[in-house]
Amino acid sequence: MKALLSIDYTHDFIATDGALTTASAGQSIEEQMVQVTKAFIEQGDFVVFAIDAHQVEDHYHPENKLFPPHNLIGTKGQELYGALKQLYIQNQTNPQIYWLNKRHYSAFSGTDLDIRLRERNITELHLTGVCTDICILHTAVDAYNLNYKIVIHQNAVASFDPVGHQWALNHFQHTLGATIV
Ligand code: ZN
């Protein structure tokens, strides 16, 4: 069984006025994100929206020193972006769609993702979203350590950093054994 992990395609990471935006790099994968997600929904596969979720007064969070506030819970910044948001809203009540708030880069860190996948006998994870070299990378590393098969949709991942993006694609393939499609 396979699942799609749709990572951090939110206003703050994609919109031109987002707090920590990938701007045109992130905006350029919108159509591909929607296409891949639609295909998984139509096939009845499990689709996880693994989304950064921060609180304003979270003094112990390591990201405080690294990034400005972003993806604050309950704000527009944490909402999905563009056509993917519409697709999510249309399918929100589908039991195969799961919204997963995450506090760290990896969708596995401090979440019940591994349990949700195992109870569905899912062994293959398809990754889309942003950033290729941050949240996609950290999620892929954890997936590798938990023995999942990894598939990266290269036209549905993006980063503000083109060098990091290329490096991560290479790392997925040659170090994590991922299939790049
Ligand atoms: Zn964050």
Side-chain angles (χ1 to χ4, degrees):
M1 298 286 277
K2 62 180 163 52
L4 177 70
L5 303 187
S6 180
I7 299 174
D8 282 340
Y9 203 73
T10 64
H11 182 89
D12 269 350
F13 288 119
I14 307 297
T16 305
D17 64 346
L20 199 53
T21 190
T22 56
S24 58
Q27 289 160 17
S28 71
I29 64 168
E30 182 178 356
E31 210 184 301
Q32 196 60 31
M33 289 287 298
V34 169
Q35 260 183 43
V36 174
T37 310
K38 233 182 210 164
F40 271 74
I41 293 172
E42 278 164 14
Q43 288 158 27
D45 287 317
F46 192 44
V47 175
V48 179
F49 289 89
I51 306 296
D52 236 19
H54 293 300
Q55 288 162 307
V56 188
E57 300 285 330
D58 189 355
H59 301 296
Y60 300 100
H61 202 296
E63 279 181 41
N64 291 347
K65 297 187 189 77
L66 300 164
F67 302 113
H70 59 278
N71 269 43
L72 297 173
I73 295 166
T75 68
K76 184 182 173 65
Q78 205 214 2
E79 289 175 15
L80 295 172
Y81 174 85
L84 192 69
K85 180 182 175 179
Q86 297 315 314
L87 184 66
Y88 174 75
I89 290 169
Q90 287 159 16
N91 292 279
Q92 219 169 347
T93 55
N94 179 339
Q96 286 289 79
I97 306 280
Y98 182 50
W99 180 282
L100 178 81
N101 275 341
K102 64 183 181 69
R103 191 165 163 261
H104 289 154
Y105 304 138
S106 170
F108 289 97
S109 177
T111 72
D112 67 357
L113 178 59
D114 186 46
I115 295 166
R116 298 269 178 180
L117 297 171
R118 280 176 203 280
E119 63 194 13
R120 289 171 170 79
N121 296 318
I122 287 159
T123 55
E124 181 177 303
L125 300 181
H126 291 241
L127 271 57
T128 59
V130 298
C131 293
T132 323
D133 50 337
I134 305 179
C135 289
I136 307 282
L137 174 69
H138 286 252
T139 300
V141 170
D142 279 347
Y144 172 86
N145 289 333
L146 292 165
N147 207 30
Y148 289 99
K149 245 192 101 196
I150 303 163
V151 180
I152 306 286
H153 292 252
Q154 62 177 329
N155 296 324
V157 290
S159 175
F160 60 94
D161 177 353
V163 176
H165 173 80
Q166 261 321 315
W167 177 86
L169 285 178
N170 190 63
H171 187 81
F172 295 142
Q173 189 171 4
H174 298 294
T175 308
L176 303 181
T179 303
I180 310 289
V181 294

